[in-house]
Amino acid sequence: MGFDLGTTLQKMNILSDPDNSSVVDINLFVTLLCACIVIGHLLEENRWMNESITALFIGVCTGFVILLISGGKNSRLLIFSEDLFFIYLLPPIIFNAGFQVKKKQFFRNFSTIMLFGAVGTLISFVVISLGAIALLRPMDIDLAIGDYLALGAIFAATDSVCTLQVLNQDETPLLYSLVFGEGVVNDATSVVLFNAVQNFDLTHINTTVALELVGNFFYLFITSTILGVVAGLLSAYIIKKLYFGRHSTDREVAIMMLLAYLSYMLSELFNLSAILTVFFCGIVMSHYTWHNVTENSRITTKHTFATLSFVAEIFIFLFVGMDALDIEKWRFVSSSPKMSISVSGILLGLVLVGRAAFIFPLSFLSNLTKKSPHEKIDFKKQVTIWWAGLMRGAVSMALAYKQFTSLGHTNVRGNAIMITSTITVVLFSTVVFGLITKPLVRFLMPSSKQLTRMISSEPATPQSLTVPLLGGGQDSLADLYGQNISNGQAPEASGGGQNMPRPNSLRMLLTRPTRTVHYYWRKFDNAFMRPVFGGRGFVPYVPGSPTEISVRHFPEELEKAARTLH
């Protein structure tokens, strides 16, 4: 066979045809996604790399090649859009995080997570905003007061996506639950703050405006959570009552996916925090809905949600890597590279200070409420949490684009400086901090076996999906008070607390607030919620399902038998 130059040129003309350019771009991007997966698999055991950093490096290298081919005109295959990120890529990531989370660890540390995620983000927002006003204003960048406050919200958003890949849920369960939970609540809080900054007249800031911002934040936080819980309960009730599994597991999977996405889009429609909505929808679905479907649907949904989340994560970091070399943005700051470097350094320093300003003081406050030494956050854990949350990623990029540009393009010098500085901070924090985080965790933390034995007794994911919302067993009075009761009598085994004197509810709440709330929630859940919405042990038998009837109908008898054997 000879080399046909005419045919080759004809094919090249087809590829350069504008009508086919989008198809070519998508083909190349999918090829890069496959390359990221393969290379990430080969580097699985590497102590320094993770898939986020791998995708970033591949994105930067690809952007450099495209830049050379296009003659310095372009470095991307696709144009970044906030809608692409917020509407299509972010929902599967956050939903899967809620769906797969170890709920026992998450709710056991719920007060600390909310302290870090909500209060801590507000502190970081204030520190970064005030620091930006004090340090960037004298540099004559020509930004409005709203832009400086937006910077506070943009850089207060941690990158929970990259952090989740660095920490291991089974090796460091306490750290994982704190960093992950804080990351999700942090993202939601940052988006709410960002929207609040855009919606309010900030030309005259006073006490009234500040109180309105705080009130709006709590309103959005509560209503977004309620919407996610309602959507999750609705899916559980529909699947429990209609028995889709008798005829088609596809319908079960489809209704779960669509209702989860509907909750996210409804939250966006009503200008709520869609991140928070879909996260709590995922938690409720994993507690109720997932147990109502057939065994085949359980396997399918678990892997479908995980796969969609995985691909979306790689897509984001791959694109950020390519966009980092976009020549159009850098052209506007090429005349003052020293200023661009200075702004990036200042923002990175504010990120470090802003996170330290709440991690260490709030950890001290959290430790005051913990009685067990294993529940306390020691200094090494505080350093790890501080460091692991320093990475900035896709949320910061998307908010920056939304504030300073339209569809990734800008011709205003101040806006161009903010965009390029954001890209610099994201790349530096993800690569440098991401590379060091994994060795830092291994250096500061005990061995994985010892750590797991100390602070976690729940099964590893995905088995954790079979664990009830707040743990595997209902807290007895002995669990709530330890081995010594006020009357000096030794407590009985778990579940045998009916014969001992019962302390009053107020004293229980003041002494062990978290476990007391868990105890009464479990009683309410077993008595009212699971009989209505289904869940483990309360799902009617569906013909054709391979689920064991004994597990579905007689969980209490099995638990009693297990206690008898022990």
Side-chain angles (χ1 to χ4, degrees), residues 56 65 74 83 87 92 141 150 231 262 283 300 319 351 362 387 427-428 435 455 462 504 513-514 526 558:
L56 271 177
V65 173
N74 184 32
D83 291 339
I87 296 179
I141 302 179
L262 179 63
I283 288 181
T300 302
F319 188 90
V351 168
L362 295 184
W387 185 270
L427 286 176
F428 184 86
L435 285 173
I455 56 181
N504 64 70
T514 304
N526 290 334
L558 289 175

Side-chain angles (χ1 to χ4, degrees), residues 348-397:
L348 190 62
L350 290 175
V351 168
L352 294 167
V353 175
R355 186 158 181 83
F358 75 86
I359 287 294
F360 298 104
L362 295 184
S363 296
F364 174 76
L365 293 177
S366 176
N367 288 339
L368 295 178
T369 64
K370 308 291 184 182
K371 293 186 177 293
S372 171
H374 299 320
E375 295 177 348
K376 292 187 177 183
I377 310 171
D378 60 33
F379 183 72
K380 289 183 178 181
K381 292 188 178 74
Q382 293 175 32
V383 172
T384 305
I385 294 170
W386 170 72
W387 185 270
L390 290 175
M391 289 172 278
R392 297 297 180 265
V395 174
S396 295
M397 289 288 296

Side-chain angles (χ1 to χ4, degrees), residues 95 99 231-233 235 255-257 259-260 280-291 305:
F95 176 81
F99 195 74
L233 292 177
S235 69
I255 201 69
M256 285 184 69
M257 295 178 65
L259 281 175
F280 278 99
C281 180
I283 288 181
V284 173
M285 278 193 176
S286 71
H287 184 57
Y288 296 110
T289 313
W290 192 77
H291 294 279
F305 294 145

Side-chain angles (χ1 to χ4, degrees), residues 296-352:
N296 289 335
S297 295
R298 293 188 190 185
I299 297 171
T300 302
T301 52
K302 178 171 65 67
H303 290 292
T304 299
F305 294 145
T307 302
L308 290 174
S309 173
F310 176 72
V311 173
E313 292 172 12
I314 297 177
F315 186 102
I316 290 170
F317 284 103
L318 184 62
F319 188 90
V320 169
M322 283 190 289
D323 197 55
L325 295 178
D326 183 27
I327 198 67
E328 185 174 340
K329 299 184 184 68
W330 295 99
R331 184 181 293 121
F332 289 98
V333 299
S334 59
S335 60
S336 54
K338 190 175 181 180
M339 175 178 287
S340 181
I341 295 173
S342 300
V343 172
S344 302
I346 289 172
L347 291 174
L348 190 62
L350 290 175
V351 168
L352 294 167

Side-chain angles (χ1 to χ4, degrees), residues 96-110 113 164 168-178 180-181 279 282-283 286 451-453 455-472 518:
N96 185 65
F99 195 74
Q100 300 277 8
V101 67
K102 286 191 173 182
K103 295 173 284 296
K104 184 174 181 180
Q105 280 289 337
F106 179 81
F107 283 97
R108 178 182 291 168
N109 301 296
F110 188 73
I113 288 171
L164 292 180
N168 188 290
Q169 186 168 197
D170 301 316
E171 291 182 0
T172 54
L174 176 62
L175 279 176
Y176 185 95
S177 66
L178 289 177
F180 157 74
F279 172 68
I283 288 181
S286 71
L451 189 65
T452 304
R453 188 166 57 248
I455 56 181
S456 178
S457 58
E458 58 183 313
T461 304
Q463 288 88 342
S464 61
L465 285 172
T466 63
V467 179
L469 189 60
L470 296 177
H518 290 185

